[in-house]
Amino acid sequence: MLIGEVARHSGVSARMLRHYDALGLVRPTGRTVGGYREYSAEDVRRIFHVESLRSLGLSLKQIGRALDDPAFTPSALVSDLIQWTEDRLAKEAELLERLRAIDASAPTGWQDVLRVVELMQGLNSTSAARRQQAVLARPGDVSVPAELLAGAVLAESDPNVAGALRWALARSGGDGVATLAAGVYSEDVDIRRRAVLAMAELPEVPGATAALADALGDPDPTVRRQAALALGRRGVTAAVPTLVGMVVEGSNDVDAAEILGTLSQDPECADRIMTALVDELAAPTADSATRIRLAQALVELSGTTVREVLRQLARDDDRAVALVASSFVGLLEERRRGCHKPGGRLVLSMDSPCVEEPMSAEHAHLPHGVEVIAILPEASDRIPAGAEARTVRVTLAPGDPGAPPHRHPGPLYGYVTEGEILFELEGEAPRVLKAGDALFEPGGDVIHYQGANNLADARSQLVVTMFAPPGTPVLTVVGPEELAERRHLRVGD
C-alpha cells in the first residue's frame, strides 16, 4: 500500500508516517517504480504496534527499543509510566481545584483572580507565618471561596494558622460545611478534630448538625467532646450522654455543666440529665473529685429534686463532698429566695464552705452584691460625639487566637466572664486577664494586637460595651504594611 492509503486505514497522518520513516521506527520495505513508499502488511502491523505503545505514554525512542531490543523488558518502564501518570494527574487535579476556587470567587476582573491565586500560593507555603499572613492580609472586599478555606483548615497543623483560617472561614460569606463534613469521616484523627472544631465555630447550617451528631460516635474522645459541646449549644439533646461523661472525666466539665443546665430547661431532657448525674454519683468508681464535679453540674439545673439530692450529699461520708454540697444547698436557697448574705458574698472553700467577705468601706454604700471593679477617669472625653453603645460578647474556642490585629472605632469597657484572655494593646505589654478581670481599650488609632484564648483545653469569654458612631464596623483589620510601620510602638517587638 502507498502512504496515502496506509494513512486512511491506520488513522496516522502521512506526515507522521514520514517522521517514523526518518527516525527508522517504521520504514516501508519497498518502493514503487516512481520512487513512492510502499508498505507491506508487516509494515502496517508495526505501525499499529507503535500507536498502541504511544497510547500508553511511551516516547518514540522508548517504542523503538521496545520493538527492536529483545532485552528491553516492560516491567521497569511500566512502573515509571505509572509514576509519571500519577504525578501528571496530581498536577491536573491541583489545577482543577485552583480553577474551581477562582470560579467560585466570582471574579469581576483579573485583579480578583490574581488575589485568589496569591492566597492559594500563600496557603501552600511551608512557612506557618507566611500562611497566617496570607489569611490575615486579605482585603475585606475580596471574596474567597469558603470551600478553599475549609480545605485549608482541615490540612493545617499549626494552631495559630488554624485559628486564623477558622476566623476567615466564619466571615467568608460561605459556610464550607460540605468540605468540613467530609473531614468528619476522614481516617485521619487530626483531620476529624479540625473539622469538628471548625464546624463548632460556624453558625448552624444544613448538614453541620448531622455531621456533628455522627461525630458523637467517633472513637477519639477529643472529637466526641468537641461535637457534644457544639451540639449542646445548639440544643441537640443527643449530646447529653457525652456531656455527662465530660463532667465525670473532668474534661471541659464547666462548659459541659453549663450546657446541661441550658438543655435542662426542656422538662423531658431535664429528667434525663438528672437521672444520668444521679446514676454517676452512685457509681462505685466515682471518687471524691468526680462527685464534686457532679454536684457542681447539679447546681446548673433547677427544681426541688436538685436541692433534695444536694441535701443528701451534704450528709455524705466524704467530708469534702459534704462541705461542697452543703455550700451549694445554701446557694440554691439564696437563689430561690432572691437574696444575698448581707454585707458580703458567698465563697466556696473546702475548709469553710460559707465564708462571708465583707465589703470595703469605700463600697459600703452600694447595694448588697454590687462591687466597683474599675474606674476610668475622664472616660467621656474618649467617646465620639453621637456615638451609640454596643454590647458585644466574644466566645473563643480552646486555643483560638481571636481576631487578627485590628482597631475599634471608639473606646470599649468590659470584663472577662469565663476562662483566660491573652490581651495586648499597642504600647502595652501582653497580659493575661482571668475571669472577673476588667479591661479598657481606648479605640481609635490604638491597635489591638491580641485577644486570644489563653487556655488550650477550655473556652474563654468576655463581654464588652463599646461606643462608636452609628454605621461604623465593630473592628477594622490592620494591614501588614501598617503593622510594619508601627512596629516600634509595640512593646517588646
Side-chain angles (χ1 to χ4, degrees), residues 278-287 291:
V278 171
D279 287 347
E280 293 293 347
L281 277 169
T285 56
D287 58 16
R291 300 177 76 213

Side-chain angles (χ1 to χ4, degrees), residues 8 17 49 136 142 225 231 236 243 268 303 329 435 443 455 491:
R8 286 193 300 274
L17 291 172
H49 288 167
L136 301 182
V142 177
R225 292 165 188 160
L231 289 169
V236 179
L243 293 170
E268 291 186 8
V329 169
L455 301 178
V491 174

Side-chain angles (χ1 to χ4, degrees), residues 34-383:
Y36 293 103
R37 295 174 176 83
E38 189 171 30
Y39 291 84
S40 67
E42 184 61 31
D43 296 335
V44 174
R45 189 178 298 109
R46 185 177 174 94
I47 291 172
F48 281 108
H49 288 167
V50 170
E51 292 304 303
S52 296
L53 293 177
R54 279 188 67 194
S55 69
L56 297 178
L58 273 70
S59 68
L60 295 180
K61 183 177 180 180
Q62 291 169 330
I63 292 172
R65 287 190 62 195
L67 295 178
D68 299 331
D69 185 357
F72 187 66
T73 59
S75 57
L77 181 58
V78 171
S79 297
D80 289 342
L81 287 172
I82 291 173
Q83 185 61 53
W84 295 334
T85 303
E86 288 177 346
D87 292 343
R88 188 179 74 251
L89 289 175
K91 291 179 181 178
E92 293 292 336
E94 182 180 347
L95 174 60
L96 181 60
E97 179 183 357
R98 183 170 298 186
L99 291 171
R100 283 175 173 167
I102 292 172
D103 183 56
S105 68
T108 58
W110 286 109
Q111 191 63 33
D112 293 342
V113 173
L114 294 175
R115 285 172 175 169
V116 175
V117 172
E118 182 181 3
L119 172 62
M120 289 188 287
Q121 291 173 339
L123 292 176
N124 289 329
S125 172
T126 57
S127 167
R130 174 73 182 87
R131 296 196 300 275
Q132 185 174 25
Q133 184 183 27
V135 178
L136 301 182
R138 178 175 60 88
D141 59 345
V142 177
S143 174
V144 176
E147 297 297 333
L148 173 62
L149 294 172
V153 166
L154 297 181
E156 185 55 62
S157 58
D158 184 277
N160 293 322
V161 182
L165 283 166
R166 292 195 301 271
W167 170 81
L169 179 59
R171 64 189 290 269
S172 66
D175 51 52
V177 165
T179 299
L180 295 178
V184 171
Y185 308 104
S186 170
E187 294 183 359
D188 189 327
V189 64
D190 290 328
I191 292 179
R192 299 201 304 274
R193 290 177 179 178
R194 295 167 194 151
V196 170
L197 186 59
M199 279 200 292
E201 297 181 15
L202 289 177
E204 186 174 356
V205 292
T209 301
L212 288 171
D214 287 345
L216 289 175
D218 196 278
D220 180 66
T222 300
V223 174
R224 293 196 303 270
R225 292 165 188 160
Q226 291 294 340
L229 291 173
L231 289 169
R233 293 189 180 107
R234 298 176 185 186
V236 179
T237 59
V240 168
T242 304
L243 293 170
V244 172
M246 292 170 66
V247 174
V248 172
E249 298 159 6
S251 302
N252 297 97
D253 53 294
V254 175
D255 290 337
E258 289 181 354
I259 294 171
L260 287 171
T262 302
L263 292 174
S264 70
Q265 294 175 10
D266 179 350
E268 291 186 8
C269 188
D271 292 339
R272 288 177 53 199
I273 295 172
M274 175 64 69
T275 300
L277 293 175
V278 171
D279 287 347
E280 293 293 347
L281 277 169
T285 56
D287 58 16
S288 178
T290 299
R291 300 177 76 213
I292 288 174
R293 289 194 298 271
L294 289 165
Q296 291 171 330
L298 282 169
V299 177
E300 299 292 336
L301 311 183
S302 58
T304 57
T305 306
V306 172
R307 292 195 294 273
E308 185 58 36
V309 172
L310 289 174
R311 287 192 186 100
Q312 293 177 12
L313 284 177
R315 300 188 294 272
D316 198 88
D317 294 336
D318 187 315
R319 181 171 180 272
V321 174
L323 287 171
V324 171
S326 177
S327 299
F328 286 146
V329 169
L331 180 63
L332 289 177
E333 287 298 324
E334 288 191 357
R335 182 189 295 172
R336 185 172 63 87
R337 295 194 305 267
C339 61
H340 299 276
K341 291 182 179 295
R345 61 183 184 274
L346 184 69
V347 177
L348 297 183
S349 167
M350 295 300 292
D351 298 319
S352 179
C354 287
V355 178
E356 291 184 8
E357 293 184 353
M359 292 184 179
S360 64
E362 178 185 359
H363 302 154
H365 65 286
L366 295 174
H368 300 313
V370 178
E371 185 178 8
V372 176
I373 59 175
I375 297 176
L376 299 167
E378 301 177 353
S380 61
D381 295 340
R382 305 175 184 270
I383 300 175

